């Protein structure tokens, strides 16, 4: 399977970490938090988190913490298909293909639930053909984008002339939850909204993707997962996640087929990126840090936004790249890209 193009989309409104801190201080829940929780929030939002701004599908930050379960569900249903459609439009515009040439679309998302899925709503917005194959993937959290590619690879293996799109979309602002729990608070301070898509074909394109690999560690499931809290999503995040991510990704990296000259990874957060750099010993993961700086943790779209940035760079000396995402499960997934 070969990569043709990638594109992303984000809500118009963006907010600095300082603006987020000021809004949280003014929120009704602030007085209900204990002193330790307030210190954690201030340290992350006013400290060196590696994030300059985050985009939210909100008119104001006050909405982020004042909406009930029904309002959050409605926000996801409205925003997720729209962001996914915009990302696909941006990717298609770069690919040289038309929307009526698309044969299959794979969608990943975990910050809300729709039935029929995001793919159905997105396909209607884009006016895709009625016979396009649509597949939604959920339950893999931040790591979903690479398994999405693996599923698309299977379709193209059976249909070499197909044009396939993979798109990851998350409305993290529809899954914000605040309580006196370290991991929950950290999540609220790191995640942002966005979508990213890639266009794939059987021949042509710029890069060939191959050598997929995955690791699943169910015994670590409780360290990073969504739980349900009064009808709302609550992101459970353990302090050990950076080390867990680093150790698991290292095992995947040791299975690589070739030595890469570029590393396209999900970030997760400053401490996670630090752990990856230490474990992989590949220098600074500039793509992951750049996405984190400009958008925060986007969950599943993060690695595809990093891929988009990789394609935009001057990479004449790069013949081989390694791509990796990880998240709930605990799971981690990788693949390799070879220049055509």
């Amino acid at each position: 399977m070969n990569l043709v193009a990638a594109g992303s989309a984000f809500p118009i409104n963006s907010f600095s970490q300082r603006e987020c801190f000021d809004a949280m201080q003014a929120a009704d829940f602030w007085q209900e938090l204990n002193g330790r929780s307030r210190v954690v929030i201030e340290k992350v939002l006013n400290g060196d988190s590696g994030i300059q701004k985050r985009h939210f599908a909100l008119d104001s930050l006050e909405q982020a913490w004042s909406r009930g379960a029904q309002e959050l569900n409605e926000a996801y249903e409205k925003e997720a298909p729209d962001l996914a459609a915009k990302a696909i439009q941006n990717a298609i515009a770069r690919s040289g293909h038309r929307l009526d040439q698309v044969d299959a679309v794979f969608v990943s998302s975990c910050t809300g639930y729709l039935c029929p899925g995001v793919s159905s709503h997105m396909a209607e917005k884009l006016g895709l053909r009625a016979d396009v194959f649509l597949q939604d993937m959920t339950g893999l959290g931040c790591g979903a984008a690479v398994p999405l590619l693996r599923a698309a690879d299977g379709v193209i293996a059976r249909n070499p002339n197909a044009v396939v799109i993979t798109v990851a979309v998350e409305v993290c602002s529809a899954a914000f939850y605040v309580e006196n729990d370290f991991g929950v608070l950290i999540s609220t301070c790191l995640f942002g909204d966005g979508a990213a898509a890639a266009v794939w074909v059987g021949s042509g394109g710029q890069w060939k993707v191959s050598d997929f690999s995955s690791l699943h560690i169910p015994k670590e499931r409780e360290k990073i997962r969504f739980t349900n809290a009064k009808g709302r999503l609550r992101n459970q995040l353990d302090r050990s996640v950076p080390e867990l991510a680093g150790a698991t990704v290292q095992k995947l990296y040791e299975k690589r087929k070739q030595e890469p000259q570029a590393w396209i990874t999900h970030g997760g957060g400053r401490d996670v990126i630090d752990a990856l750099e230490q474990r992989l010993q590949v220098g600074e993961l500039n793509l992951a840090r750049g996405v984190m700086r400009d958008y925060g943790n986007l969950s599943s779209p993060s690695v595809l936004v990093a891929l988009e940035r990789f394609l935009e760079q001057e990479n004449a000396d790069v013949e081989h790249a390694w791509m990796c995402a990880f998240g709930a499960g605990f799971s981690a997934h990788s693949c390799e890209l070879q220049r055509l």
Side-chain angles (χ1 to χ4, degrees), residues 39 71 88 225:
V39 169
E71 292 173 299
I88 289 174
R225 60 166 295 192

Side-chain angles (χ1 to χ4, degrees), residues 294-324:
D294 295 337
Y295 302 110
N297 186 342
L298 294 166
S299 188
S300 61
S302 292
V303 73
L304 292 181
V305 177
L307 176 64
E308 177 189 24
R309 292 189 168 199
F310 170 73
L311 296 177
E312 292 171 347
Q313 292 179 351
E314 292 292 334
N315 290 308
D317 59 335
V318 177
E319 295 293 328
H320 191 76
W322 188 76
M323 186 170 172
C324 181

Side-chain angles (χ1 to χ4, degrees), residues 6-155:
S8 58
F10 306 93
I12 295 174
N13 293 331
S14 66
F15 305 90
S16 69
Q17 293 290 74
R18 180 70 205 195
E19 289 176 305
C20 292
F21 178 66
D22 292 343
M24 292 185 82
Q25 282 188 301
D28 293 340
F29 64 76
W30 186 258
Q31 298 304 321
E32 300 175 5
L33 294 176
N34 61 39
R36 177 180 170 277
S37 295
R38 296 180 194 176
V39 169
V40 169
I41 292 172
E42 182 172 11
K43 182 178 180 181
V44 176
L45 292 179
N46 289 343
D48 183 20
S49 66
I51 300 171
Q52 292 184 0
K53 63 179 175 65
R54 292 181 284 164
H55 290 248
F56 300 135
L58 302 168
D59 294 325
S60 67
L61 283 172
E62 287 70 26
Q63 291 179 282
W65 304 286
S66 63
R67 297 178 294 182
Q70 181 64 29
E71 292 173 299
L72 293 172
N73 290 335
E74 291 172 353
Y76 178 83
E77 182 170 351
K78 176 179 181 292
E79 302 296 343
D82 189 50
L83 281 172
K86 289 177 179 176
I88 289 174
Q89 288 173 325
N90 291 335
I92 279 287
R94 293 175 172 178
S95 73
H97 290 85
R98 303 185 311 272
L99 286 170
D100 62 5
Q101 294 176 302
V102 175
D103 298 297
V105 181
F106 289 84
V107 182
S108 66
S109 189
C110 68
T111 46
Y113 176 74
L114 288 177
C115 182
V118 172
S119 64
S120 172
H121 299 261
M122 169 274 303
E124 181 183 23
K125 286 179 176 292
L126 293 174
L128 298 182
R129 300 193 324 260
D131 64 345
V132 168
F133 176 71
L134 302 175
Q135 178 68 60
D136 293 78
M137 180 182 293
T138 188
L140 289 175
C142 298
V146 175
L148 208 65
L149 271 57
R150 194 169 190 171
D153 184 51
V155 169

Side-chain angles (χ1 to χ4, degrees), residues 104-313:
V105 181
F106 289 84
V107 182
S108 66
S109 189
C110 68
T111 46
Y113 176 74
L114 288 177
C115 182
V118 172
S119 64
S120 172
H121 299 261
M122 169 274 303
E124 181 183 23
K125 286 179 176 292
L126 293 174
L128 298 182
R129 300 193 324 260
D131 64 345
V132 168
F133 176 71
L134 302 175
Q135 178 68 60
D136 293 78
M137 180 182 293
T138 188
L140 289 175
C142 298
V146 175
L148 208 65
L149 271 57
R150 194 169 190 171
D153 184 51
V155 169
I156 289 180
R158 294 290 301 271
N159 305 275
N161 295 321
V163 176
V164 178
I165 291 177
T166 57
V167 58
V169 57
E170 303 292 3
V171 186
C172 296
S173 61
F176 281 160
Y177 191 89
V178 179
E179 65 175 27
N180 288 306
D181 176 88
F182 175 82
V184 172
L185 295 176
I186 292 295
S187 296
T188 306
C189 294
L190 297 184
F191 284 86
D193 300 347
V199 182
W200 306 88
V201 295
S203 60
Q206 307 173 55
W207 296 83
K208 178 180 177 62
V209 64
S210 62
D211 299 309
F212 290 95
S213 186
S214 292
L215 288 174
H216 299 272
I217 312 174
K219 70 177 182 180
E220 306 289 5
R221 183 184 297 126
E222 296 304 315
K223 291 184 177 178
I224 177 169
R225 60 166 295 192
F226 268 133
T227 59
N228 187 286
K230 300 178 181 178
R232 300 170 63 182
L233 289 173
R234 173 186 178 274
N235 196 23
Q236 191 163 292
L237 187 65
D238 192 83
R239 291 174 182 267
S240 64
V241 165
E243 176 57 28
L244 174 61
T248 308
V249 170
Q250 181 184 12
K251 292 178 182 177
L252 277 184
Y253 191 60
E254 289 171 351
K255 299 170 68 174
R256 66 192 183 279
K257 296 296 179 65
Q258 298 185 49
E259 288 300 318
Q261 295 89 43
W263 299 265
I264 306 165
T265 71
H266 170 55
R270 183 200 62 190
D271 293 348
V272 174
I273 298 175
D274 287 346
L276 293 179
E277 291 173 344
Q278 181 179 6
R279 285 280 191 166
L280 303 183
Q281 297 186 355
V282 295
E284 186 169 311
L285 295 172
N286 294 317
L287 292 169
R289 289 192 181 277
V291 175
M292 183 64 57
R293 179 191 65 238
D294 295 337
Y295 302 110
N297 186 342
L298 294 166
S299 188
S300 61
S302 292
V303 73
L304 292 181
V305 177
L307 176 64
E308 177 189 24
R309 292 189 168 199
F310 170 73
L311 296 177
E312 292 171 347
Q313 292 179 351

